[in-house]
Amino acid sequence: MAELLRDHTTLRLGGPAGRFVEAHSEEELIAAVRAADESAEPLLVLSGGSNLVVADAGFPGTVVKVATTGIESDVEPGQGASCSGATVTVAAGEDWEAFVARAVASEWAGIEALSGIPGAVGSTPIQNVGAYGQEVSETIARVRVWDRVLKGVRTFTASECVFGYRTSRFKADPQRHVVLDVTFQLPCGTLGAPVKYAELARTLGVELGGRAPIAEVRDAVLRLRRGKGMVLDPADHDTWSAGSFFTNPILSNAVAAAALPDDAPRYPAGDGLLKTSAAWLIEHAGFSKGFGAELTGGRATLSTKHTLALTNRGAASATDLLTLARAVRAGVIERFGIELHHEPVLVGHTL
Ligand SMILES: Cc1cc2nc3c(=O)[nH]c(=O)nc-3n(C[C@H](O)[C@H](O)[C@H](O)COP(=O)(O)OP(=O)(O)OC[C@H]3O[C@@H](n4cnc5c(N)ncnc54)[C@H](O)[C@@H]3O)c2cc1C
């Protein structure tokens, strides 16, 4: 029987895979990708399925699930704060949250604010995952990939990965690279980097820019995330999502001046640009938490804890979810003239 992709995505959406292969070693992963490419079959690389919205019709080609394992570091466990920095290479299929827990326990700093993000390590460079003032690109030293065009293994240093806000060269050129492993350079020690996110600083009881022990940062982030339904919990439909559905819009100062009300959040985003909050725009366009009852029969709604997460209440189809996404996007355009862009990867449909 065909493998259903809804069993492999956190939204629990997606029809059957044409073929489904689980790759447990790097050799198996490369062989599966090569076989699909040589037979000119469409290929979907799937890891944790936490950033995917797969169509109800499924995926007609080969789905390769990355299930590779292995973590190598150049410091001994327990060496902790005495090392000058840990270089850690992690296989793409390793679970990200388990790796963060291990890093914090090993006194490796730099990724503690990324606690609770679902998915695999190999997916983190794809959209340069970020949360609570940290981005994974700050600690990535290099990314080893299988290049489907050159048909060989390549290594990109961090600067060659072209990381940006929720993007990278891998996201920009999605059919080309399969991440094999990621090497992190993590400062050793128990104290985290300066806290850059106001809500996290408040929770930790430090000033913005102050520092706190990494174990406390991790606990605080997990607590904050749970309150927003942003830590996976099979019993909680608010977490049957792909995380934030829309990215925070980056606007020129001129566009922002014309479109944004005075009380809308504004964060500096480089030369003549600012970032505003997609959640704020959605709420102020009239969509409150839990919105969607009439639109989709309640099958797909905004999370009851966070307006930025679109959720499956148990019986949603991908069509329901996209109906909701389109309504929210249209409402924000109508109210503010700002177009929201989706963050998850859509497979087999468009928004
Ligand atoms: C509750 C929840 C909270 C979230 N919170 C955050 C957050 O705070 N910050 C954030 O940035 N994201 C967040 N996300 C989104 C998501 O967890 C991340 O983007 C994560 O890195 C996706 O990993 P994955 O293994 O599940 O990738 P998948 O969903 O399996 O794949 C995502 C994309 O990456 C590609 N891909 C996967 N593995 C590989 C590989 N080895 N090589 C090449 N391409 C690959 C896939 O083809 C697909 O295009 C959240 C999601 C959920 C459900």
Side-chain angles (χ1 to χ4, degrees), residues 29-53:
L29 178 55
I30 294 173
V33 171
R34 287 194 85 148
D37 285 346
E38 276 158 21
S39 58
E41 257 183 75
L43 171 72
L44 171 64
V45 178
L46 171 99
S47 290
S50 64
N51 213 25
L52 283 173
V53 188

Side-chain angles (χ1 to χ4, degrees), residues 10 44-52 66 92 117-120 122-124 126-131 166 177-179 225 229-232 239 241-244 343 345:
T10 53
L44 171 64
V45 178
L46 171 99
S47 290
S50 64
N51 213 25
L52 283 173
V66 183
I117 298 179
S123 318
T124 60
I126 307 290
Q127 71 155 6
N128 180 21
V129 300
R166 294 302 160 275
H177 306 102
V178 179
V179 176
R225 293 185 68 97
M230 284 291 176
V231 176
L232 293 185
T239 76
S241 77
S244 300
E343 181 186 302
V345 175

Side-chain angles (χ1 to χ4, degrees), residues 6-204:
R6 71 172 63 104
D7 295 334
H8 297 275
T9 60
T10 53
L11 269 165
R12 274 89 162 169
L13 297 177
R19 226 161 66 80
F20 189 89
V21 184
E22 209 163 288
H24 293 273
S25 67
E26 186 172 305
E27 294 69 36
E28 284 176 16
L29 178 55
I30 294 173
V33 171
R34 287 194 85 148
D37 285 346
E38 276 158 21
S39 58
E41 257 183 75
L43 171 72
L44 171 64
V45 178
L46 171 99
S47 290
S50 64
N51 213 25
L52 283 173
V53 188
V54 182
D56 299 318
F59 184 76
T62 299
V63 177
V64 177
K65 174 143 183 167
V66 183
T68 54
T69 52
I71 300 183
E72 280 177 27
S73 88
D74 63 351
V75 290
E76 298 295 322
Q79 195 177 331
S82 64
C83 78
S84 58
T87 304
V88 192
T89 297
V90 188
E94 287 281 351
D95 181 66
W96 171 256
E97 162 56 17
F99 174 57
V100 177
R102 176 173 170 158
V104 170
S106 307
E107 302 184 348
W108 301 335
I111 53 175
E112 57 282 351
L114 304 178
S115 294
I117 298 179
V121 169
S123 318
T124 60
I126 307 290
Q127 71 155 6
N128 180 21
V129 300
Y132 295 95
Q134 249 170 25
E135 284 189 336
V136 75
S137 57
E138 293 160 23
T139 45
I140 286 181
R142 52 188 182 270
V143 179
R144 244 175 91 249
V145 302
W146 172 257
D147 183 327
R148 294 171 61 195
V149 174
L150 298 181
K151 300 194 189 313
V153 173
R154 295 173 75 187
T155 299
F156 293 107
T157 61
S159 62
E160 292 169 334
C161 292
V162 201
F163 288 122
Y165 168 61
R166 294 302 160 275
T167 191
S168 69
R169 78 179 302 149
F170 314 115
K171 179 124 185 182
D173 192 2
Q175 292 303 315
R176 178 152 185 181
H177 306 102
V178 179
V179 176
L180 302 174
D181 61 42
V182 183
T183 300
F184 298 86
Q185 185 69 50
L186 302 170
C188 292
T190 51
L191 205 55
V195 178
K196 293 188 241 162
Y197 200 85
E199 186 187 25
L200 179 59
R202 271 197 307 279
T203 306
L204 287 164

